[in-house]
Amino acid sequence: MTAYWLPRNLHPAAWWLWALGLATAASRTTNPMLLALILAVVVYVVINRRSDAPWALAFRLYLLLGAFIIVMRLVYRIIFGGGEGDTILFTLPEIPLPAWAAGIQLFGQVTVESLLGGAYDGLRLATMLICVGAANALANPKRLLKSVPSALYEAGSAVVVAISVFPQLAESVVRVGRARSLRGSTEKGIRAFRAIAIPVLEDALDRSLRLAAAMDSRGYGRAGTLTGRARAFTGALLVAGLVGICVGVYGVLDGTTPRYLAGPMLAAGVAVAAAGMISAGRRVQRSTYRPDLWRLAELIAAACGIAAAVALYRSSSVDPTNLNPSLRPLTWPQVDLIPAVGVLLAVLPAWLVPPPANDLEEAER
């Protein structure tokens, strides 16, 4: 039991499952009370379980971006269509539009119902984004790439590079800010922006060039030992599988489609796509060094996030009223016990998983 609490970094997939579970829960509701509860859970777990690694510093950028999304949704409601509802908050001069733009309103009356609708939508989107940011702050992107199966290695590389943009940006901003402090610079606000933006862009370019050189030296993107015929066969399998999945999904969603184009076509598409991915994975030869294992702590973290998603999904199918508060007429948001308990389960990893390994060498494995 003592070994369980030794500091270590969890498997990155466990944190991603936890975060995606909370993001799924947020997508099922516009209730600001529940969304605020999800945000509180995410922030608390990140503060208690993030390491000192550079990517963990990007979480505050996601918080700022979430606040920006909410503000933009409110501004959008004021400019376009702010007159839905009966409770007028204030009135702006309306700009008349030509007849071909009928149905679009610029400015005019702004109601409480319209602003609350924009705030709820913006808060939901911001919560989902911050959940993704929490996964970025808690999970090591390099270890995540190492855990991707060989068949999905190239797609996984693209995804990992994409989700690493904010952590890399935050690290560059910290490095440039530290260098400016050492030089005695005291500029703030707009004047400091130019002094920070250009070194950050230069640093990002240098890091990209070093990454490209490292990937080229390791043979990334080369065809390996497969022949041209084998590569063509693999590509045909992947394309055929993708077409089969698209046709199958369309057949499942459209009740008028012949039934043999629904479930059977979807199953055949998944099978062909799986065969294509296995064939594609043969050209990726990787050795395994200090593999990340799933232990009890990983299971607890993933299960807590999934439990939140399941609780909100079940609540939306049983009593969706409290998950989406009424705006017309205006009602005060209510929170049921089941979704609240489901969300609170997601805070358990803050106490039930081992603390992170703050040693930089361990964090950069």
Side-chain angles (χ1 to χ4, degrees):
M1 192 63 185
T2 304
Y4 177 84
W5 295 108
L6 291 177
R8 69 181 180 89
N9 294 311
L10 267 62
H11 195 293
W15 283 126
W16 271 100
L17 286 175
W18 172 82
L20 292 179
L22 284 170
T24 304
S27 70
R28 306 295 297 183
T29 180
T30 56
N31 190 321
M33 307 289 285
L34 278 175
L35 293 173
L37 187 61
I38 294 174
L39 284 176
V41 167
V42 169
V43 172
Y44 187 80
V45 174
V46 169
I47 291 176
N48 284 276
R49 283 299 177 266
R50 70 175 174 179
S51 66
D52 293 338
W55 53 83
L57 303 176
F59 184 64
R60 56 184 174 182
L61 292 181
Y62 286 93
L63 294 176
L64 294 175
L65 185 58
F68 176 76
I69 289 174
I70 297 174
V71 172
M72 290 305 298
R73 290 291 296 176
L74 292 176
V75 172
Y76 177 85
R77 287 299 182 105
I78 293 175
I79 297 177
F80 303 101
E84 298 179 358
D86 302 324
T87 311
I88 299 175
L89 191 61
F90 56 87
T91 302
L92 297 174
E94 183 175 351
I95 299 177
L97 296 176
W100 54 265
I104 301 177
Q105 176 186 347
L106 284 181
F107 300 106
Q109 293 180 343
V110 178
T111 62
V112 175
E113 291 87 348
S114 179
L115 288 182
L116 282 179
Y120 290 175
D121 289 340
L123 181 59
R124 175 169 59 177
L125 184 58
T127 304
M128 296 169 64
L129 179 69
I130 292 172
C131 289
V132 175
N136 255 330
L138 295 170
N140 185 337
K142 297 176 183 177
R143 292 174 57 193
L144 179 64
L145 179 60
K146 190 175 70 172
S147 304
V148 173
S150 299
L152 302 175
Y153 185 75
E154 294 183 355
S157 300
V159 172
V160 170
V161 170
I163 64 177
S164 302
V165 170
F166 267 101
Q168 298 288 352
L169 184 62
E171 183 182 357
S172 297
V173 171
V174 171
R175 292 170 58 186
V176 172
R178 188 181 299 121
R180 293 181 68 247
S181 300
L182 292 175
R183 294 190 186 101
S185 176
T186 57
E187 291 182 342
K188 295 183 178 179
I190 300 299
R191 291 185 176 180
F193 177 75
R194 187 173 59 181
I196 293 176
I198 294 177
V200 166
L201 293 177
E202 183 180 359
D203 184 65
L205 180 61
D206 290 340
R207 293 162 69 96
S208 300
L209 292 176
R210 289 198 298 269
L211 175 62
M215 294 174 71
D216 182 67
S217 66
R218 288 168 172 79
Y220 180 82
R222 295 175 187 171
T225 58
L226 291 182
T227 62
R229 181 177 298 179
R231 291 197 298 273
F233 179 69
T234 300
L237 285 177
L238 291 173
V239 172
L242 181 61
V243 172
I245 291 174
C246 292
V247 174
V249 170
Y250 181 83
V252 170
L253 297 178
D254 187 1
T256 62
T257 307
R259 290 300 87 190
Y260 64 88
L261 291 179
M265 181 60 76
L266 180 60
V270 171
V272 173
M277 287 190 291
I278 294 174
S279 177
R282 290 177 180 173
R283 67 176 182 173
V284 180
Q285 303 294 332
R286 294 186 299 172
S287 60
T288 303
Y289 174 68
R290 300 174 67 183
D292 294 314
L293 302 177
W294 275 82
R295 304 174 189 173
L296 180 59
E298 280 81 357
L299 293 176
I300 292 175
C304 290
I306 295 173
V310 172
L312 269 292
Y313 178 80
R314 292 295 302 166
S315 299
S316 64
S317 60
V318 176
D319 183 17
T321 305
N322 288 334
L323 295 183
N324 299 286
S326 172
L327 294 174
R328 303 180 68 180
L330 280 174
T331 57
W332 187 260
Q334 304 291 327
V335 178
D336 280 345
L337 180 62
I338 293 179
V341 172
V343 173
L344 288 176
L345 285 176
V347 80
L348 293 180
W351 303 297
L352 298 184
V353 303
N358 288 326
D359 180 67
L360 189 59
E361 182 179 355
E362 172 66 18
E364 290 184 344
R365 281 177 50 199

